Amino acid sequence: MAALCRCTKPEKIESKRPNILFIMSDDHAYQAISAYSDQLIKTPHIDRIAKEGLLFTNACVTNSICAPSRATILTGKHTHINGKIDNKMPFDTTQVTFPQLFQKAGYQTAMFGKLHFGNNPKGVDDFMILPGQGNYINPDFITPKGDTTITGYVTDIITDLVINWLDQKRDKEKPFMMMYLHKAPHRPWWPSPEKFAEFSKKTFREPESLFDQYKNRGTAAKSAEMNLLTHMMYSHDSKIRPETIEAMGGVEPQVTEFEHGFDGPYGRANAEQKAAYDLVLDSINNDFRQHWPSMTREEKMRWKFQRYMQDYLATISSVDDNVGRVLDYLDEAGLTNNTIVIYTSDQGFYLGEHGWFDKRFIYDESFKTPLLVRWPNQIKAGTTSDEMVQNLDFAQTFLEAAGIEAPQDMQGESLLPLLRGDTTAWTRDAVYYHYYEYPSVHMVKRHYGIVTKEFKLAHFYFDVDEWELYDRLRDPQEMNNVYDDPAYADVVKSLHLKLDELRVKYQDSPELDQKYINLYK
Ligand code: SGN
Ligand code: CA
């Protein structure tokens, strides 16, 4: 109504529109956020978003891998429609993305951090993005004015850029839409020297399924290459110097090994930074040299798990500190009440569950993603929702919150009713998932499926033709594929029908499956 009233100054209307601060990290498992579980790490600053807002406990992605998740977030469309099926396929930049719509509607828009594809994001007035995966130490950035390198630790630097833009560059009379995109905690997990020292002394609780033998599962789980013992690399991941391995006369070979896995990140550090890392590296390497040769397979698995968690969680601790800095800035600048703050990840991650690291599967740890939303003007503090929401829904949510019309062909649903606590307006009872990047790193087979709060039905295809069904309530760890269990015959039948309906609703099809197989060759 206000828009029709000539007596209202445009500035006034502008100032009522909410700001959007979209914070996304890369590969941040919900198991590593204390608002979800405090077994591994305390993340007080990220938790604050849920404490003062809403925690989604059943949020998930449509395709658990980096660039496709980002393309889905930007376009509000499933992978098979926006065409960004995997990390390799180019992103069609002629598509409408939600930042373009915000820009057109008079918002100031900016993007800092990891985008993963392209070098000229559309719809943002200002940006500094990492090329590709980016680097933890002294990272390079692509900017509208050319490339630059900044000395320091990536998580701190991205945050400095965000706070500096909010404080110095934005027009304070206009609303903003900021995409604050962390590289952490993506592999290879290089913490800041201080966090490296702190976390390398900690011991973490092992997941129950660390020694999973993949019984009662399909071929895909058995053939995936993401096992901590057999696929996590000595140098690249566990930070064993090549010289240490040489001095030991070699160690048992891995399935894959990067020649410069260690030197890639470490080689970027300057002398002072190296000196700080070296203290911790020396102790890790000495321990490895002394104990590794006499360890049993089980002990080796445990050692690798602890090394993994120490570094992965240390990078998250930096993310948490930096999220705290930004939340403090919002408070100081008086922006808190009318800014929608979202914390999410591009997908979940395995932290030793099923013996794994990485993601890709429709199984819970990688299918689900953290989602915490704060908007004091609209969301009741300390609430939770277990509705099945997806990264597909973000664009329409932000657009509706800003009063901008969403294009008809976006495929998600605005989460605004849920944010406002109105569950009756929310009718979705199942979501659709489709993963494509195979054959490729980690060798997770192509699959699509349907997930409800109770069940998960997935079809693995291409070089297999296998169906899996999990009872999410009775078997939350997804250890038993009950697809052929006669007790589930009715469930199988009804989920097949529902899956067919979802494929039609979202316009996916056997023809498209084949098209993306052909394009991949
Ligand atoms: C790299 C990682 C993989 C990871 C992919 C995709 N290897 O290839 O472990 O699955 O990225 O990650 S690494 O040796 O480079 O660390 S994604 O988040 O970009 O999809
Ligand atoms: Ca990722």
Side-chain angles (χ1 to χ4, degrees):
M1 291 305 274
L4 298 174
C5 173
R6 290 199 183 155
C7 52
T8 311
K9 284 190 181 157
E11 292 80 32
K12 279 245 158 128
I13 302 165
E14 294 273 336
S15 67
K16 285 194 189 126
R17 294 198 284 178
N19 304 304
I20 313 272
L21 173 61
F22 179 72
I23 314 173
M24 184 161 75
S25 46
D26 193 352
D27 293 358
H28 192 167
Y30 59 86
Q31 309 92 291
I33 292 180
S34 41
Y36 288 97
S37 157
D38 61 3
Q39 299 278 353
L40 289 171
I41 187 172
K42 293 254 187 295
T43 51
H45 304 293
I46 297 172
D47 292 2
R48 195 185 145 192
I49 300 170
K51 222 176 182 181
E52 297 170 6
L54 175 68
L55 181 78
F56 283 98
T57 56
N58 233 337
C60 62
V61 295
T62 64
N63 180 0
S64 180
I65 183 160
C66 190
S69 167
R70 288 152 203 267
T72 288
I73 290 168
L74 289 171
T75 60
K77 292 176 184 167
H78 272 280
T79 292
H80 57 274
I81 300 293
N82 70 44
K84 184 78 181 120
I85 59 161
D86 57 30
N87 279 343
K88 296 166 200 162
M89 203 71 89
F91 176 65
D92 171 4
T93 56
T94 63
Q95 301 185 80
V96 174
T97 59
F98 85 82
Q100 291 169 275
L101 302 172
F102 270 79
Q103 197 177 44
K104 233 191 248 166
Y107 266 73
Q108 294 174 90
T109 56
M111 180 188 282
F112 293 99
K114 177 177 169 184
L115 174 63
H116 198 148
F117 49 81
N119 55 8
N120 187 12
K122 286 202 174 155
V124 287
D125 306 334
D126 202 1
F127 66 85
M128 284 183 76
I129 54 173
L130 303 167
Q133 295 283 11
N135 281 293
Y136 278 104
I137 303 171
N138 306 334
D140 303 324
F141 285 90
I142 300 168
T143 85
K145 292 186 194 129
D147 297 353
T148 185
T149 303
I150 303 181
T151 306
Y153 187 65
V154 71
T155 306
D156 302 331
I157 295 171
I158 294 171
T159 309
D160 292 345
L161 296 172
V162 166
I163 294 178
N164 181 53
W165 186 89
L166 289 173
D167 198 50
Q168 307 288 327
K169 298 204 180 156
R170 85 193 156 90
D171 173 351
K172 294 181 178 149
E173 299 300 313
K174 287 186 181 170
F176 66 84
M177 194 288 293
M178 159 69 78
M179 301 190 81
Y180 166 32
L181 310 172
H182 282 295
K183 170 187 171 55
H186 194 274
R187 190 185 185 205
W189 309 283
W190 275 80
S192 69
E194 305 76 45
K195 298 283 184 189
F196 191 34
E198 181 190 339
F199 278 73
S200 66
K201 296 188 193 82
K202 294 184 190 248
T203 306
F204 297 95
R205 195 189 65 118
E206 292 168 4
E208 275 173 49
S209 59
L210 183 64
F211 293 97
D212 195 348
Q213 297 298 308
Y214 315 114
K215 283 186 192 135
N216 308 322
R217 246 64 54 73
T219 311
K222 297 183 177 92
S223 58
E225 296 184 352
M226 44 198 244
N227 185 277
L228 293 180
L229 182 66
T230 49
H231 300 100
M232 191 160 261
M233 300 169 193
Y234 297 108
S235 297
H236 185 67
D237 296 316
S238 304
K239 302 192 178 49
I240 304 307
R241 295 184 176 114
E243 305 88 270
T244 305
I245 295 174
E246 212 179 297
M248 290 165 74
V251 282
E252 56 272 49
Q254 306 274 222
V255 174
T256 41
E257 183 63 272
F258 273 86
E259 290 250 333
H260 304 290
F262 182 84
D263 278 336
Y266 179 78
R268 296 184 67 86
N270 59 33
E272 195 188 330
Q273 292 164 330
K274 276 187 181 154
Y277 281 117
D278 279 342
L279 289 174
V280 186
L281 287 167
D282 287 348
S283 113
I284 293 168
N285 276 259
N286 289 340
D287 174 70
F288 181 81
R289 192 170 171 178
Q290 211 182 329
H291 296 111
W292 185 262
S294 59
M295 283 186 204
T296 62
R297 275 178 75 81
E298 208 168 272
E299 286 165 341
K300 286 178 176 171
M301 180 69 153
R302 297 206 145 109
W303 188 93
K304 283 199 166 180
F305 170 75
Q306 293 301 336
R307 274 282 44 253
Y308 168 35
M309 282 301 91
Q310 288 164 354
D311 292 351
Y312 176 87
L313 295 169
T315 71
I316 286 174
S317 182
S318 285
V319 171
D320 188 59
D321 290 351
N322 279 289
V323 166
R325 286 176 59 208
V326 175
L327 295 180
D328 286 349
Y329 176 79
L330 295 182
D331 286 344
E332 283 157 25
L335 290 167
T336 299
N337 283 343
N338 202 29
T339 299
I340 306 179
V341 178
I342 299 93
Y343 186 89
T344 191
S345 169
D346 59 346
Q347 70 320 280
F349 214 67
Y350 295 93
L351 306 184
E353 298 88 356
H354 306 293
W356 287 335
F357 62 104
D358 214 70
K359 54 246 178 185
R360 297 154 193 275
F361 276 111
I362 194 171
Y363 309 138
D364 261 16
E365 289 80 2
S366 46
F367 163 74
K368 283 171 66 168
T369 196
L371 182 60
L372 303 83
V373 188
R374 185 185 78 175
W375 185 10
N377 275 355
Q378 299 279 335
I379 301 176
K380 194 162 163 240
T383 44
T384 59
S385 168
D386 70 348
E387 293 305 331
M388 305 237 21
V389 302
Q390 290 193 290
N391 56 350
L392 180 71
D393 304 320
F394 295 170
Q396 278 150 280
T397 305
F398 303 156
L399 290 167
E400 192 186 355
I404 307 169
E405 205 178 323
Q408 284 299 316
D409 60 353
M410 282 191 172
Q411 297 184 303
E413 282 178 48
S414 164
L415 304 179
L416 276 207
L418 294 178
L419 298 184
R420 294 182 175 134
D422 178 8
T423 43
T424 51
W426 184 260
T427 54
R428 180 192 286 158
D429 62 355
V431 296
Y432 182 61
Y433 181 91
H434 200 155
Y435 171 80
Y436 297 82
E437 195 179 278
Y438 178 86
S440 184
V441 58
H442 300 301
M443 295 300 277
V444 172
K445 293 186 189 296
R446 287 167 189 246
H447 58 293
Y448 60 83
I450 177 173
V451 185
T452 65
K453 284 185 189 169
E454 294 84 19
F455 298 104
K456 189 176 283 182
L457 174 73
H459 181 215
F460 291 83
Y461 68 100
F462 182 60
D463 55 358
V464 288
D465 179 8
E466 294 180 12
W467 288 87
E468 297 184 16
L469 175 73
Y470 295 94
D471 184 328
R472 298 185 79 197
L473 302 181
R474 289 206 184 141
D475 176 26
Q477 295 193 44
E478 299 166 311
M479 303 296 280
N480 280 301
N481 169 16
V482 290
Y483 186 80
D484 292 321
D485 182 338
Y488 287 90
D490 289 346
V491 175
V492 166
K493 208 168 148 198
S494 86
L495 281 179
H496 266 294
L497 284 174
K498 266 190 144 183
L499 175 58
D500 290 346
E501 280 167 24
L502 276 190
R503 298 251 291 168
V504 171
K505 173 180 170 187
Y506 291 123
Q507 299 157 43
D508 204 359
S509 62
E511 293 73 34
L512 276 182
D513 301 348
Q514 191 56 48
K515 171 185 153 184
Y516 288 124
I517 289 170
N518 297 345
L519 272 177
Y520 200 73
K521 281 176 191 153

